[in-house]
Structures are given as C-alpha cells and as structure tokens.
Amino acid sequence: MSETPALILALLAGISLGTIFFGGLWWTTRKGVLSPRPAVWFFGSLVLRAIIAAAGFIFVAHGDWRRLVACLLGFLLARFLVMRLARAP
C-alpha cells in the first residue's frame, strides 16, 4: 500500500518530463523552421531535451523498475496530450 503514492508521483513526474520534452520539440519546430540556422535549433534542443529527460528518469526511478515504468507511462501519455494540443486547426 505504501508503494502506491510513489508510483502516482512517478507517473506525474513522467507526465511533466514528457510535457517538457514534446512541448519543447513542438516549440523548436515552430522556431527552427523560421530560423536562418535551423540545425543549431534542432541539435541544441535535442541535446537539452534528452539530458533533461534522462536525468529526470534516473532521478524518479531511483533504482526501482516500477517507478521507471510508471514514469515512462506518464511520459508516453504526455506525448499524446501534446500531440492533441499542438494539432493544427
């Protein structure tokens, strides 16, 4: 029973990490297309987003595979949420 709050927090952390990752990708795509140097935008964004996501997963999991899975599920859920919100009208 005491593991449930930790898994819920891991899920919420995964949603946050996914929102940062995929929201950052959406923002980068909008800015990078209009930039005179799109490669700098896309590469810099990829590195920054990957570091944030990897560090977040390591911090949240803290050596427990169940927390890692919950965080990954939240991350994937955020992907679908950002895709739905960023859809072109």
Side-chain angles (χ1 to χ4, degrees):
M1 214 46 174
S2 64
E3 194 65 29
T4 303
L7 293 177
I8 292 172
L9 288 175
L11 180 73
L12 293 174
I15 291 171
S16 298
L17 289 171
T19 302
I20 292 168
F21 188 87
F22 295 109
L25 176 60
W26 174 75
W27 183 79
T28 300
T29 303
R30 292 181 55 98
K31 294 289 185 180
V33 171
L34 302 175
S35 172
R37 292 185 172 164
V40 174
W41 276 96
F42 286 105
F43 182 72
S45 171
L46 172 66
V47 170
L48 182 64
R49 289 181 296 113
I51 289 171
I52 291 170
F57 275 107
I58 291 169
F59 180 76
V60 169
H62 198 60
D64 185 8
W65 69 270
R66 291 170 293 196
R67 289 187 208 167
L68 182 63
V69 170
C71 189
L72 179 61
L73 287 175
F75 190 83
L76 293 175
L77 178 63
R79 177 183 179 264
F80 293 112
L81 293 173
V82 170
M83 283 176 53
R84 181 166 290 258
L85 293 174
R87 187 173 296 165

